[in-house]
């Protein structure tokens, strides 16, 4: 694997109040079917993940955080247009998940699997051949860069 720094990727919410740049390595996209993701995304969530120091905020005037599980776990969203953008486990591992759908250009990223399929909605089927995990993946999708 190349140790070359990947090119930056930028993204943001629908209204432009939140804009960000990913400046370092990022994990391929994992779809989370948990009930909390479904409720806030309106469907299942598709997230890349990266080291928090590689997420540079370019605009955050409308960014708000919602704590859905514990005081440490938080979901970043735009309070103006409603976009769901970030998920922060708050577990001290220094990683943050970013909604793949909010990227301007998803670069080299591709979907690699599904988690929390035990909580998937009844109205759709997961019919690709990618690995599925009943609950979390236990780090199975983590990249060499630790994200
Ligand atoms: Zn917005
Ligand atoms: Zn989830």
């Amino acid at each position: 694997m190349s140790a070359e720094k990947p090119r930056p990727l930028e993204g943001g919410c629908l209204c432009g109040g939140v804009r960000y740049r990913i400046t370092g390595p990022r994990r391929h996209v994992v779809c989370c079917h948990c009930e909390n993701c479904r409720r806030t995304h309106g469907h299942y969530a598709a997230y890349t993940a990266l080291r928090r120091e590689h997420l540079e905020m370019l605009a955050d005037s409308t960014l708000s955080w919602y704590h859905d599980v514990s005081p440490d776990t938080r979901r970043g969203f735009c309070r103006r247009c409603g976009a769901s953008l970030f998920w922060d486990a708050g577990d001290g591992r220094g990683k943050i998940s970013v909604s793949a759908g909010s990227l301007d250009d998803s670069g080299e990223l591709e979907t690699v699997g599904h988690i929390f399929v035990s909580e998937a909605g009844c109205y759709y089927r997961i019919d690709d051949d990618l690995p599925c995990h009943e609950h979390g993946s236990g780090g199975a999708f983590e990249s060499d860069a630790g994200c």
Side-chain angles (χ1 to χ4, degrees):
M1 240 184 113
S2 166
E4 238 172 78
K5 207 175 166 191
R7 72 177 171 89
L9 297 178
E10 291 190 10
C13 67
L14 180 58
C15 75
V18 183
R19 293 288 304 168
Y20 63 82
R21 180 184 292 135
I22 296 172
T23 60
R26 47 271 175 169
R27 191 199 64 202
H28 280 298
V29 175
V30 174
C31 297
C32 183
H33 299 262
C34 82
E35 182 178 348
N36 285 13
C37 280
R38 286 193 292 105
R39 287 191 188 278
T40 185
H41 288 264
H43 193 30
Y44 59 80
Y47 284 122
T48 180
L50 45 130
R51 306 290 314 167
R52 205 170 298 151
E53 62 265 27
H54 292 145
L55 180 66
E56 183 187 334
M57 296 309 299
L58 306 175
D60 62 0
S61 62
T62 59
L63 179 63
S64 285
W65 294 93
Y66 177 72
H67 301 267
D68 66 332
V69 179
S70 72
D72 297 328
T73 307
R74 55 187 198 154
R75 292 178 181 273
F77 65 99
C78 174
R79 63 177 168 270
R80 185 161 62 199
C81 72
S84 295
L85 297 166
F86 308 120
W87 182 74
D88 181 350
D91 58 4
R93 298 179 63 212
K95 293 197 322 186
I96 190 160
S97 298
V98 175
S99 291
S102 67
L103 290 162
D104 300 342
D105 158 8
S106 52
E108 80 287 2
L109 298 177
E110 51 187 59
T111 300
V112 293
H114 302 272
I115 58 173
F116 288 95
V117 298
S118 58
E119 298 181 30
C122 296
Y123 64 91
Y124 62 88
R125 281 188 309 175
I126 301 167
D127 54 6
D128 54 39
D129 296 326
L130 299 173
C132 287
H133 295 261
E134 285 292 297
H135 303 286
S137 67
F141 299 117
E142 197 159 283
S143 73
D144 296 343
C147 55

